[in-house]
Amino acid sequence: MQMRKTTLIAGVLAVASMIGTQSAFSASHMKKYTIENDAINTSLTGKPGDAAKGRKLAVNRKKGNCLACHVISDLKDQPFHGNVGPSLDGVADRYTEGELRLRVVNPKFFHSGSIMPAFYKKSGLNRVIKKFKDKTILTAQEVEDVVAYLKTLK
Amino acid sequence: MKNVKSKRGWKLTSIALGSTLMVGAMAIEVIAKDWGSHEVDGRRSGYTYMTDETRAVQDDNFENPGMLWVENGEALWSKAGANGKSCASCHADPEKDMKGVMPAYPKFDKRTGKMISLEQMVNRELVEKMGEKAEKFDSKKMLSLMTYIGNISKGMPVNVKIDGPAKPFFEKGKAFYYQRRGQLDLACSNCHEDNPGKQIRANTLSEGQINGFPTYRLKWQKPGSVHRRFRGCNKNVRAKPYKAGSDEYVNLELFVKWHGRGLPVETPAVRN
């Protein structure tokens, strides 16, 4: 048993260094979440999000930058909305809070070929630049803020 | 003066969509622009994704600021190196000798057993045949020579060899192109194959073709090399870039050049 376990870990490490990712073990400081019925139904932090902060994160090019790919009419004061993804207008009518949370945390759950980044993921990535290594794009609380903002898009 | 300004107009194309799911066939009319030589079998040069204003600057040899770099390269051609020789000593008729060179690089290099990019070839000439030092890919001298050599082939179709000894390098470049990377976890293909024509914030995504390189960047007020562009696109997804001239980028360049096979050389293309 002991032998097999060791081999397995060595195998994982070899793959990780081969493709240049951070090791799978760095996920330890991540908030745990459970996916149930295609949704993450509880807040990652146990606290509610702040929609006003979420609105700013959606604009911020160094953070959510949701505008890079989505039109959001509520943000029409901002120039340049991308159209790589669908408009997020009315997205709260289409999805529950839990469904929205999973879409921000890891949209690849629904569609592995998605261009949309997983905003709360840090393992299994390739050649991440030092400054962002072992970091998620958004913190757990920022995810909650963005989700709170998405909930206002009715 | 070579000016390959193409005749562009609008054409009405009708596409018939037949589908077993649809009752019968539905004809939709789409307005598709006729891009002339800038489009080959559905592959479109970055030129076609630019604004009319930027295209006009590229098309006008007097307005195109890249042409100054072509002239600078032309002047450097007969400038003697440390051993007294210049490019012109051995390539007396560059308009003829260098014609078709840009569209064919990167090439397989027997000496090193791997691909060699045109910058690397120029460096080899500078060092071995003129006693000069190797230039950085984005040095003034290199960009001038590259822009000049590229411009000599303006209008010729991009045509790299990917078979024979080039095959394994092509495959590596291809794997790079489809490999997701960086914190944003994106592959070149996610943007340039899946979404050309779409807006990504303020930018219109193109197919990421390299037939116009070195391209003159209006925002930098100077031309930039292919590898500088690769570095920029890697950094934008928060991925560790490779060095200009790295094997990884030379192989990627081979794949990307093939991706735009048949597109005309447009050096110096003008980009925002």
Side-chain angles (χ1 to χ4, degrees):
Chain A
M1 264 334 266
Q2 194 57 41
M3 273 300 284
R4 275 180 62 193
K5 222 173 185 171
T6 318
T7 325
L8 196 72
I9 290 172
V12 169
L13 277 175
V15 169
S17 60
M18 219 166 68
I19 56 174
T21 70
Q22 59 236 352
S23 87
F25 308 110
S26 64
S28 52
H29 298 298
M30 299 281 287
K31 299 280 181 199
K32 291 227 165 54
Y33 57 82
T34 353
I35 301 174
E36 247 178 318
N37 302 324
D38 292 352
I40 302 171
N41 288 313
T42 50
S43 162
L44 297 178
T45 57
K47 284 184 229 134
D50 176 336
K53 283 189 185 151
R55 190 173 190 271
K56 288 199 182 113
L57 289 164
V59 176
N60 188 334
R61 286 166 207 265
K62 298 209 156 71
K63 279 294 182 177
N65 199 11
C66 314
L67 283 186
C69 297
H70 294 287
V71 169
I72 305 176
S73 300
D74 174 58
L75 289 167
K76 58 178 176 294
D77 53 317
Q78 297 291 326
F80 307 125
H81 296 210
N83 61 5
V84 169
S87 161
L88 294 185
D89 292 355
V91 82
D93 299 325
R94 297 196 285 281
Y95 299 108
T96 65
E97 177 184 314
E99 288 165 345
L100 290 171
R101 187 176 287 107
L102 178 52
R103 275 175 172 78
V104 177
V105 166
N106 184 12
K108 272 119 183 153
F109 176 84
F110 298 98
H111 164 35
S112 65
S114 178
I115 189 175
M116 180 164 153
F119 287 89
Y120 195 68
K121 178 183 163 179
K122 62 182 183 180
S123 59
L125 300 172
N126 183 23
R127 277 186 79 83
V128 177
I129 213 162
K130 209 165 161 196
K131 187 174 163 201
F132 296 106
K133 209 166 163 156
D134 279 335
K135 294 192 175 88
T136 55
I137 306 174
L138 296 176
T139 65
Q141 192 53 45
E142 285 168 344
V143 168
E144 293 307 319
D145 295 344
V146 168
V147 170
Y149 174 58
L150 292 177
K151 277 172 65 193
T152 68
L153 303 178
K154 289 187 199 261
Chain B
M1 190 125 292
K2 297 177 273 61
N3 193 346
V4 292
K5 190 181 239 171
S6 67
K7 276 191 244 91
R8 276 184 281 113
W10 295 87
K11 77 175 174 198
L12 205 61
T13 320
S14 56
I15 299 175
L17 273 188
S19 164
T20 46
L21 289 174
M22 278 189 260
V23 189
M26 185 173 67
I28 25 165
E29 305 238 74
V30 289
I31 307 244
K33 205 159 178 168
D34 176 3
W35 292 109
S37 68
H38 299 281
E39 176 170 354
V40 175
D41 294 341
R43 297 184 287 280
R44 282 164 50 187
S45 160
Y47 174 91
T48 69
Y49 295 93
M50 292 290 113
T51 61
D52 287 341
E53 297 76 55
T54 308
R55 276 197 290 272
V57 174
Q58 176 173 324
D59 286 339
D60 184 337
N61 276 345
F62 295 99
E63 248 192 275
N64 183 336
M67 289 310 288
L68 289 171
W69 292 73
V70 172
E71 282 164 27
N72 199 36
E74 189 173 5
L76 285 171
W77 204 259
S78 43
K79 191 167 173 261
N83 67 0
K85 290 213 168 77
S86 70
C87 312
S89 312
C90 305
H91 306 287
D93 187 358
E95 292 278 336
K96 192 168 136 271
D97 296 350
M98 293 294 130
K99 204 169 196 86
V101 167
M102 179 59 101
Y105 273 79
K107 272 188 184 171
F108 179 74
D109 175 37
K110 286 203 195 86
R111 234 164 86 178
T112 54
K114 52 189 195 179
M115 305 306 296
I116 184 168
S117 80
L118 189 51
E119 286 94 341
Q120 291 169 329
M121 186 67 204
V122 168
N123 268 336
R124 184 180 283 175
E125 302 292 272
L126 282 170
V127 172
E128 297 181 4
K129 297 187 176 136
M130 291 163 63
E132 290 290 295
K133 63 174 182 49
E135 291 289 319
K136 291 225 161 82
F137 277 35
D138 284 87
S139 78
K140 192 167 180 215
K141 190 166 174 182
M142 181 58 83
L143 287 170
S144 300
L145 287 169
M146 287 292 291
T147 310
Y148 177 53
I149 297 172
N151 187 251
I152 288 172
S153 298
K154 191 165 164 184
M156 291 181 74
V158 161
N159 183 20
V160 281
K161 271 213 164 67
I162 59 162
D163 54 358
K167 185 100 202 297
F169 302 98
F170 173 79
E171 293 302 335
K172 281 184 193 163
K174 182 177 179 180
F176 191 115
Y177 193 84
Y178 292 102
Q179 162 88 63
R180 286 179 183 262
R181 62 190 71 235
Q183 193 194 33
L184 302 192
D185 204 19
L186 293 171
C188 315
S189 56
N190 289 133
C191 286
H192 295 301
E193 237 182 37
D194 303 344
N195 289 291
K198 297 257 179 77
Q199 276 310 112
I200 189 151
R201 205 110 188 208
N203 292 301
T204 305
L205 284 169
S206 75
E207 294 163 24
Q209 303 292 5
I210 54 175
N211 56 308
F213 276 80
T215 51
Y216 186 90
R217 296 292 300 272
L218 295 168
K219 78 169 182 192
W220 300 337
Q221 299 281 298
K222 66 175 285 200
S225 68
V226 168
H227 291 198
R228 182 172 179 189
R229 182 76 243 190
F230 289 171
R231 285 176 60 83
C233 281
N234 275 172
K235 287 193 244 170
N236 283 344
V237 299
R238 300 178 176 175
K240 220 158 101 194
Y242 289 86
K243 289 206 170 72
S246 60
D247 292 348
E248 285 82 0
Y249 279 174
V250 177
N251 296 337
L252 177 63
E253 182 180 349
L254 175 68
F255 175 76
V256 175
K257 201 114 172 213
W258 172 84
H259 212 230
R261 62 205 174 281
L263 290 175
V265 172
E266 291 175 20
T267 317
V270 176
R271 300 287 182 265
N272 302 320

